[in-house]
Amino acid sequence: MLEKQLEYIRSITDFEPEVAVVLGSGLGTLADEIKVHCVIDYKDIPEFPVSTAPSHKGRFVLGEIEDKRVVMMQGRVHLYEGYTPAQVVNPIRLMRKMGARVLMLTNASGGINRNFNIGDFMVINDHISCFVESPLVGKNDEKLGVRFPDMSEVYSKRLRNIIKDTARELDIDIKQGVYLQFRGPNFETPAEIKMAEIIGADAVGMSTAIEAQAAVHCGFEVCGISVISNLACGISDKPITSQEVTQTADRVAPYFKALIKKTVGKF
Ligand code: HPA
């Protein structure tokens, strides 16, 4: 299937990205600012999963940022849309096949760490993915990666340092922590967030961790940034709405775009 999808991409363009970027909820407008080479809609790629989530456009944008060749996902797919874990990570594997070696994952997430504020950025140091099924379950494709991949440094220390240094240069305060993925689509209960806090999570969301697992498996060097779009349930008494999530993402988008652009330029 990946080979068929790559064949379709190659029928449109020979462009070989160096860096892949997944743009999370409300963060997709970064793709509008790059020097665009071409745009490929997910719906035109054979057997490709199509985003149904609000504010996710559903296309690859290929082009250049700061002289780096990039492929950006304007919209991702999630488990809560009903896709299998393997379908959810199909785009990650395809971007690796296109030639990208570095992957930056971004998302909007709920803040659990009590030192976090709404609108903060968090470099993902590590993740907790064991509440969702691994995308690596099933027959292993040895051409992609090994059966039992090591997960001791999912988020590359080298890339994390670049992100933190770049944030400092731009005078952007940056937090760091552990991201926990739940399946969604409902937001969590206070008891679930209490558990997440106890087991060491700093932020919670409905994506990213399984993408990072698949990315390590297929040989990407990975990093991730969360935008703290709201305080997780029970950390604040206020009910959570998807509007709040996208409003925060919209508000911090200029800083986010500046950070990603400059960071990717250094990868
Ligand atoms: N929980 C889960 N996913 C999220 C949240 C949250 O509070 N905010 C943004 N995505």
Side-chain angles (χ1 to χ4, degrees), residues 108-111 186-188 193 204-206 227 229-233 240 245:
S109 63
N186 50 282
F187 291 114
E188 300 70 31
I193 293 300
V204 59
M206 304 175 194
V227 171
S229 55
N230 58 280
L231 298 182
C233 185
I240 302 163
V245 173

Side-chain angles (χ1 to χ4, degrees), residues 17-22 30 65-72 100-106 123 155-167 220-225 259-267:
E18 301 159 272
V19 179
V21 183
V22 179
L30 175 60
I65 304 185
E66 310 257 329
D67 291 332
K68 274 269 154 23
R69 293 189 309 279
V70 297
V71 51
M72 296 201 153
R101 293 183 169 278
V102 171
L103 173 68
M104 175 178 267
L105 298 166
T106 72
V123 178
Y155 302 88
S156 149
K157 204 163 187 178
R158 183 184 82 87
L159 300 180
R160 282 187 269 146
N161 284 335
I162 295 175
I163 297 169
K164 287 186 276 188
D165 290 345
T166 310
F220 266 117
E221 189 182 12
V222 182
C223 64
I225 304 182
L259 177 62
I260 304 289
K261 269 195 213 170
K262 195 158 183 193
T263 303
V264 167
K266 292 186 193 172
F267 280 171

